[in-house]
Amino acid sequence: MRSRLLAVFALTFALTASGGAAVAATPTTPSAPSASAPSAKAPPTLSDPHPCEGQPGYTCSMLAVPLDHRGKGKGKGKGELKLQVATADNAGAPKGTLLFLTGGPGQPGVPFITRIAQRLPEVAKNYRIVMIDQRGTGDFGAINCPQLQAQVGSSDIEPPTVAAIEECAGILGDRRHYFTSEQTTGDLEMLRQALGVRSWVVDGVSYGSLTAARYAVAHPRNVSKLVLDSVLPHVDPQGDDMLYLTGLRATARVLREACTVAPACGFDPAKDLAWLARHRKDHVMIFDLIVTYEFLDPTYRDPNPAGLPAGAGDVIGAIHEARNGNPARLDQQLALLNSGGDPVNRYSSGLHIATVCGDGRFPWGTSEAPVAGRQEILERTRRTLPARKVWPFTADTAVGNGFIQECLNWPRSQHTAEPSVRLPRVPTLILNGDRDLSTPLEWAREELRYAPGGRLVIVKGASHSIQNRELGTQGREAVNAFLNG
């Protein structure tokens, strides 16, 4: 779910993929769909195969998909999109094909295929890894909303201005209906057919875990195994995921656990945070800061993490100092880790808002609810949220987060089809770090309840995105054993 996956660590992807030099690409706004979609009877194909630039051993191609997979009458004639796909050249891999899905939503896949293969070498040896720039992302179709991109970039939590939201809605127009996970599921099924594989392993990280799970629900016979890494549950029956209630509450657990590591803090960071949340107006941004900080330092206590000036780290210490009258270091961290400015071809804020608002369930219902009544319902939610649901933060933090504020002002649009609550009975590995606040461990436990073939591996001391960012090897060893055992 944590979109800032790109802002903090995707440079590592780019450097690895290009042999040490970042690959520049010109951001592009998706052009208007062509006059007619591919024939429903024509089998999907991959066109224009060529070596992926800067990624030896991988072939890049294009996949044409209809703008609207709901099709059959009202979907016909709406045009098509062309999505970039990267496939490993070991087409005869002994264990078949593995589709790896990145997250956000907003992050492309193709630039990162080398990085993933290097992190999972035994998997890459036995499987043909495939990655796709999901609709609305990447070099050939990223949705470019300049104000949104500049203000929040890849942050889930920082709220943009209403003007930025309105600009993005205007840029997309009626196309805003067609960038949900339901439509992406249709794209993935066309990709499977174009590759000519009967079934494949589907592996998703962060929001990609939701996409992977929803694909498995829609096409259970086409999934041999499922890997869900840093999980956002694929359903939200309680209707509170967009309020981020689980993440707000998990902050106390994570910071307290971090404080027990020697040398112990000697104070309660959750109580410090609770005080700040009630005495500072920027409590939403403090939550955003903590979630961002995990990408730099899963201990939350290192004064010198890579990516920050010397002595500028230790977010727990900064919170404690601010609670006791010295906010300088916390304010410095807020400035250093402020959102916005991500290159659109490496993260599309426009795709993010269109997908989250189309997929999510909110206090006012779905994206199909009238805009006029949403604020009143949200205010009623704010007044009635029990303190225990949000502590150490407040109800104001919950209703002020980016998911809520973006979608509060997003125009009415087609809501994604609600999937089955239960996942199919396929072997499912769920991975989560116990220090993850982007997609907290509690969400992984929730998804496990929906997975009859599931097993949860908790990676101690790890934060978000186990397969890509885990400092140790526990999680990746579990993936290797699950897929190659």
Side-chain angles (χ1 to χ4, degrees):
M1 174 70 101
R2 181 58 182 173
S3 322
R4 198 164 295 167
L5 212 62
L6 171 76
V8 179
F9 74 85
L11 179 60
T12 305
F13 277 148
L15 293 176
T16 303
S18 60
V23 178
T26 303
T28 58
T29 302
S31 57
S34 59
S36 61
S39 167
K41 295 181 181 179
T45 59
L46 295 175
S47 63
D48 187 27
H50 59 275
C52 294
E53 183 179 357
Q55 300 198 85
Y58 300 92
T59 295
C60 283
S61 308
M62 302 301 291
L63 175 71
V65 299
L67 179 66
D68 184 10
H69 283 283
R70 289 190 176 185
K72 293 204 174 172
K74 80 175 184 178
K76 288 184 177 179
K78 291 182 180 176
E80 67 177 26
L81 302 170
K82 291 188 176 180
L83 312 180
Q84 185 178 209
V85 174
T87 55
D89 291 343
N90 60 335
K95 288 187 174 289
T97 301
L98 183 147
L99 173 67
F100 194 99
L101 298 172
T102 50
Q107 189 177 31
V110 169
F112 309 143
I113 192 167
T114 297
R115 166 70 173 178
I116 293 302
Q118 290 175 344
R119 290 282 292 178
L120 301 168
E122 294 303 314
V123 173
K125 183 189 302 182
N126 289 318
Y127 288 86
R128 185 189 194 192
I129 295 179
V130 175
M131 297 185 73
I132 184 172
D133 291 346
Q134 296 173 43
R135 56 172 58 201
T137 73
D139 291 338
F140 300 98
I143 297 171
N144 190 4
C145 297
Q147 289 188 54
L148 204 63
Q149 202 73 26
Q151 290 179 19
V152 299
S154 51
S155 173
D156 293 325
I157 298 170
E158 180 172 357
T161 63
V162 174
I165 297 167
E166 290 176 345
E167 178 193 61
C168 194
I171 287 169
L172 273 173
D174 288 343
R175 290 182 300 136
R176 70 181 179 274
H177 300 293
Y178 308 117
F179 291 92
T180 62
S181 61
E182 175 189 8
Q183 299 289 351
T184 296
T185 292
D187 298 341
L188 301 181
E189 177 58 10
M190 288 187 69
L191 174 58
R192 183 195 66 81
Q193 295 171 23
L195 292 169
V197 298
R198 187 187 65 79
S199 66
W200 52 2
V201 172
V202 182
D203 184 335
V205 59
S206 194
Y207 207 93
S209 71
L210 178 148
T211 309
R214 290 192 172 189
Y215 175 84
V217 168
H219 302 281
R221 294 182 180 179
N222 300 336
V223 177
S224 57
K225 291 184 178 181
L226 193 59
V227 179
L228 306 177
D229 177 351
S230 304
V231 176
L232 173 65
H234 77 284
V235 289
D236 182 18
Q238 67 281 0
D240 66 7
D241 286 352
M242 294 298 100
L243 286 164
Y244 233 137
L245 300 187
T246 301
L248 292 171
R249 294 193 302 272
T251 308
R253 171 185 59 80
V254 168
L255 297 188
R256 282 169 168 167
E257 288 175 358
C259 262
T260 64
V261 177
C265 294
F267 56 83
D268 185 346
K271 289 184 177 179
D272 288 342
L273 185 57
W275 189 92
L276 293 178
R278 288 153 181 79
H279 290 83
R280 286 183 55 140
K281 294 181 179 179
D282 59 351
H283 47 89
V284 172
M285 297 311 301
I286 292 174
F287 179 44
D288 188 50
L289 165 65
I290 297 169
V291 175
T292 300
Y293 188 87
E294 74 172 276
F295 291 89
L296 299 176
D297 171 26
T299 75
Y300 297 90
R301 296 177 62 192
D302 185 352
N304 302 301
L308 290 181
D314 183 10
V315 72
I316 286 178
I319 289 168
H320 187 60
E321 291 169 8
R323 164 64 181 90
N324 288 284
N326 181 13
R329 186 147 57 120
L330 182 63
D331 291 342
Q332 180 189 27
Q333 291 175 357
L334 286 164
L336 287 169
L337 296 179
N338 192 27
S339 309
D342 307 86
V344 69
N345 62 326
R346 290 298 180 263
Y347 191 94
S348 169
S349 300
L351 184 278
H352 180 274
I353 191 172
T355 302
V356 168
C357 295
D359 282 357
R361 297 181 61 197
F362 303 90
W364 55 84
T366 71
S367 55
E368 297 180 1
V371 175
R374 294 176 187 176
Q375 182 64 59
E376 181 181 352
I377 296 170
L378 183 62
E379 174 58 22
R380 185 162 62 245
T381 300
R382 186 193 68 79
R383 293 196 309 267
T384 57
L385 262 178
R388 60 182 174 79
K389 291 280 190 179
V390 294
W391 197 90
F393 291 98
T394 69
D396 287 339
T397 314
V399 302
N401 83 66
F403 291 133
I404 295 294
Q405 292 301 312
E406 284 183 347
C407 299
L408 175 67
N409 295 292
W410 190 245
R412 292 180 73 172
S413 56
Q414 192 176 83
H415 178 57
T416 199
E418 289 289 340
S420 167
V421 170
R422 294 192 71 77
L423 293 172
R425 192 173 290 278
V426 300
T428 301
L429 177 65
I430 300 174
L431 301 169
N432 229 90
D434 64 349
R435 298 286 178 84
D436 192 348
L437 285 173
S438 302
T439 52
L441 177 58
E442 288 83 352
W443 270 346
R445 295 189 190 279
E446 180 181 334
E447 186 75 349
L448 183 64
R449 295 199 297 269
Y450 308 143
R455 178 171 70 94
L456 171 62
V457 172
I458 301 169
V459 184
K460 296 292 185 181
S463 59
H464 195 65
S465 186
I466 300 302
Q467 293 169 97
N468 176 57
R469 300 187 59 258
E470 174 194 17
L471 297 178
T473 61
Q474 178 193 350
R476 285 176 290 154
E477 287 174 357
V479 172
N480 183 50
F482 177 68
L483 295 180
N484 287 327

